[in-house]
Amino acid sequence: MIEEILPPGVRSSEAFDDLAPAPLFPEEAALMAGRRPRRQAQFATARACARRSLAELGLPPAPLMPGAGGAPRWPAGVVGSITHCDGYRAAVVARSAEVAALGIDAEPAEPLPRGVLGLVASDSERAALERLAAGGPELCWDRLLFSAKEAVYKAWYPSAERWLGFADADVRFAPSGTFTARLHPSEPPPDAPTHFEGRWLVRNGLLLTAVATTTAPAGHDDAPLLSAAGGE
């Protein structure tokens, strides 16, 4: 399902439950020791998805331990992202020579809890959501905004290595299934991106968002192509 909003070169794997056996490497099992069984199963299934995606790049199974910010430490030359919510786990990876940044998020297709939208959206974003809701009241635009900002953060953090607050990104949706994000963090790192484009999908009770920044071909001086596409 998530492959529908990913660009060429990105490999993906997803699961809708934790029923399939998903063994962990010793380091990963130690990390999960003492956690609730539900969290352990969720973690293991997401790691299994990640290893299946890496296998499509020709890479062998290996431990995927959390790095800075909690996102997995991917093998050298690889970018990736993991997401999980009730009823869904997914992992996407790509060669960093083809995709410079990658972020995905999944959420239940339900409204945000009361009071959360005010923490996530600016006044102008809320006004834009109201206009979208007038034309598409069946969609949970508030939760979609939350998901898009999560995907943007996952794509942004590896290059910035700095927290990005909800107020630091302005996200605008198109009903066609795309969105743009303009970032305006205080004291942004010199080489961190300030603009992303992404895609979204609503299906089977789930909201999916994805962002991928594809690498410009050799010999081009243009800024990286921000392709609509898509840590834990």
Side-chain angles (χ1 to χ4, degrees):
M1 186 164 66
I2 199 167
E3 72 276 1
E4 297 180 31
I5 55 172
L6 296 170
V10 178
R11 303 293 187 263
S12 65
S13 177
E14 59 192 0
F16 297 88
D17 55 49
D18 300 314
L19 299 180
L24 294 174
F25 281 83
E27 304 96 311
E28 296 169 330
L31 180 67
M32 287 289 103
R35 303 288 186 94
R36 293 178 300 168
R38 182 173 178 271
R39 172 56 181 146
Q40 291 177 350
Q42 183 186 67
F43 179 92
T45 302
R47 286 312 190 267
C49 289
R51 283 188 262 277
R52 287 195 295 267
S53 297
L54 290 168
E56 291 192 23
L57 293 180
L59 297 173
L64 295 171
M65 301 298 289
R73 292 197 300 267
W74 300 101
V78 171
V79 294
S81 184
I82 287 177
T83 188
H84 43 73
C85 70
D86 286 345
Y88 190 76
R89 292 89 171 87
V92 298
V93 298
R95 298 283 185 185
S96 57
E98 299 177 14
V99 177
L102 193 54
I104 62 170
D105 189 68
E107 299 289 334
E110 302 171 353
L112 287 172
R114 184 181 299 273
V116 174
L117 182 60
L119 304 175
V120 173
S122 66
D123 291 343
S124 61
E125 285 175 323
R126 288 198 294 273
L129 294 184
E130 289 176 2
R131 292 191 293 270
L132 289 166
E138 73 283 359
L139 296 182
C140 299
W141 294 102
D142 57 347
R143 180 83 71 164
L144 191 65
L145 178 68
F146 177 88
S147 180
K149 291 195 176 187
E150 287 287 304
V152 166
Y153 174 72
K154 293 176 184 180
W156 186 81
Y157 186 87
S159 63
E161 295 187 343
R162 196 172 300 177
W163 174 255
L164 185 73
F166 285 113
D168 296 328
D170 184 85
V171 172
R172 301 301 163 126
F173 293 102
S176 59
T178 64
F179 66 87
T180 61
R182 299 282 182 179
L183 309 187
H184 45 83
S186 59
E187 301 180 5
D191 299 325
T194 58
H195 174 233
F196 286 105
E197 295 179 0
R199 293 180 65 188
W200 58 269
L201 177 68
V202 181
R203 185 175 299 164
N204 299 336
L206 294 167
L207 304 172
L208 303 180
T209 54
V211 172
T213 305
T214 58
T215 305
H220 286 244
D221 295 328
D222 298 336
L225 174 64
L226 298 175
S227 291
E232 275 180 291

